[in-house]
């Protein structure tokens, strides 16, 4: 299948068990063709053709190890044991976590690496025009959820990006919409739920600036706006039938620099041969190099066990 010979389908060929995530929705919002290639065609990762990709992968692996260390520390394993033998940059990141873990987090309920899912479209039933189709699910994996019985909830996302992301950028990210929205909608099933939007805050914590986390408070207007935006995106995606319905982002110098230079599909899309310089990527989320195994993690058979 190529961009010149688009495939036409009767309906969008997503698996019934496909779960939308902030990553797939962000991919669609950034460039509809990305969504098509990554999540509908599930195009395998192209050959590694540039060192920035390998560099990025190495950084992502370190990030995964950091998350594992924090996860173990959060469940009570002795941090000294965990620190033993760590090399840079992990040693520095973990030390920053130990010195700057937020001290004001709720302590009654602490959930680590928790997956939550809700039906998508979410109630009210029939609010999105997908008659006859079972609802998909919206899923998110949370680094840490800390809650009090009175309903105060803090969501923490540990970031190992090279730089602290600008708060205005974070506010625009679909992760900032999806995580609090989904948590509120799923919260009735928790011992500390249900919670109201005003009781929830999303906090991004950075190894690059551990004393300067970014906090974004959720509230009812944001919650309703999130519902609207997410369902609009879903309706647009499900209205697509073929590759042609998922156009490439406009070919402008700014879009090439912002999206295509860091996208694994740029050769296929004729949007340049050389990868962007990974050292210029402030946030790993800007580097679109989705690994289908990871991107589709929520389509695994274990989803029903995790679902609310
Ligand atoms: S290379 Fe550019 S146009 Fe192609 S999928 Fe990636 S972001 Fe979209």
């Amino acid at each position: 299948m190529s961009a010149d010979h688009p495939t036409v389908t009767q309906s969008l060929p997503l698996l019934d068990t496909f779960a939308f995530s902030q990553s797939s929705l962000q991919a669609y919002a950034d460039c509809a063709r990305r969504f098509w290639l990554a999540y509908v065609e599930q195009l395998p990762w192209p050959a590694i053709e540039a060192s920035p990709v390998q560099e990025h992968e190495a950084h992502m692996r370190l990030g995964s190890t950091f998350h594992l260390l924090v996860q173990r520390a959060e469940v009570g394993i002795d941090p000294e044991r965990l620190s033993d033998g760590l090399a840079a940059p992990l040693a520095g990141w973990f030390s920053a976590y130990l010195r700057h873990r937020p001290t004001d987090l709720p302590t009654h309920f602490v959930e680590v690496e928790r997956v939550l899912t809700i039906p998508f479209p979410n109630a009210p039933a029939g609010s999105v025009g997908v008659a006859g189709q079972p609802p998909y699910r919206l899923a998110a994996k949370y680094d840490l959820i800390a809650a009090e019985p009175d309903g105060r909830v803090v969501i923490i996302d540990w970031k190992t990006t090279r730089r602290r992301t600008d708060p205005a950028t974070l506010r625009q990210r679909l992760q900032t919409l999806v995580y609090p929205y989904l948590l509120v909608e799923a919260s009735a099933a928790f011992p500390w739920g249900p919670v109201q939007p005003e009781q929830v805050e999303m906090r991004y914590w950075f190894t690059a600036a551990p004393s300067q986390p970014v906090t974004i408070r959720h509230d009812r207007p944001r919650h309703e706006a999130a519902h609207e935006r997410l369902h609009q995106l879903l309706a647009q995606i499900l209205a697509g039938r073929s590759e042609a319905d998922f156009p490439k982002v406009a070919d402008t110098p700014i879009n090439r620099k912002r999206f295509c230079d860091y996208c694994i599909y740029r050769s296929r899309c004729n949007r340049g041969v050389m990868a962007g310089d990974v050292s210029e990527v402030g946030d790993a989320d800007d580097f679109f190099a989705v690994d289908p195994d990871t991107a589709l993690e929520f389509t695994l058979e274990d989803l029903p066990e995790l679902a609310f």
Side-chain angles (χ1 to χ4, degrees), residues 82-217:
L82 294 169
S83 307
D84 203 23
L86 289 182
L90 270 175
W93 292 355
F94 192 56
S95 158
Y97 156 77
L98 293 176
R99 282 181 287 118
H100 294 283
R101 181 189 186 276
T103 54
D104 62 339
L105 297 184
T107 52
H108 254 82
F109 300 97
V110 177
E111 310 258 7
V112 180
E113 297 289 319
R114 182 71 189 251
V115 174
L116 300 181
T117 85
I118 55 171
F120 194 45
N122 203 8
S127 58
V128 172
V130 286
Q133 280 195 30
Y136 294 97
R137 298 198 74 87
L138 179 64
K141 189 174 189 181
Y142 296 77
D143 287 346
L144 188 142
I145 303 170
E148 293 292 7
D150 66 5
R152 179 178 171 244
V153 184
V154 181
I155 300 165
I156 297 274
D157 196 63
W158 312 109
K159 293 272 188 204
T160 56
T161 46
R162 288 173 171 78
R163 288 184 284 279
R164 175 181 183 263
T165 310
D166 168 45
T169 302
L170 288 170
R171 281 186 176 276
Q172 301 302 319
R173 284 268 163 77
L174 279 162
Q175 182 179 9
T176 308
L177 252 61
V178 168
Y179 278 43
Y181 171 78
L182 200 162
L183 183 136
V184 169
E185 295 294 317
S187 65
F190 284 111
W192 40 268
V195 296
Q196 299 304 310
E198 286 72 17
Q199 295 172 298
V200 179
E201 70 177 66
M202 174 95 201
R203 208 178 293 182
Y204 293 96
W205 183 98
F206 301 88
T207 49
S211 58
Q212 294 176 279
V214 174
T215 296
I216 299 172
R217 295 208 62 86

Side-chain angles (χ1 to χ4, degrees), residues 27 30-35 37 247-251 255-256 258-272 288:
D30 288 346
C31 172
R33 181 62 53 86
R34 260 187 194 174
F35 181 90
L37 295 174
K248 299 175 193 172
V249 67
D251 193 6
N255 283 344
R256 280 210 181 202
R258 183 159 171 223
F259 299 117
C260 304
D261 282 2
Y262 303 107
C263 177
I264 53 170
Y265 301 125
R266 81 187 166 282
S267 303
R268 190 184 189 281
C269 292
N270 294 321
R271 290 288 172 92
F288 187 73

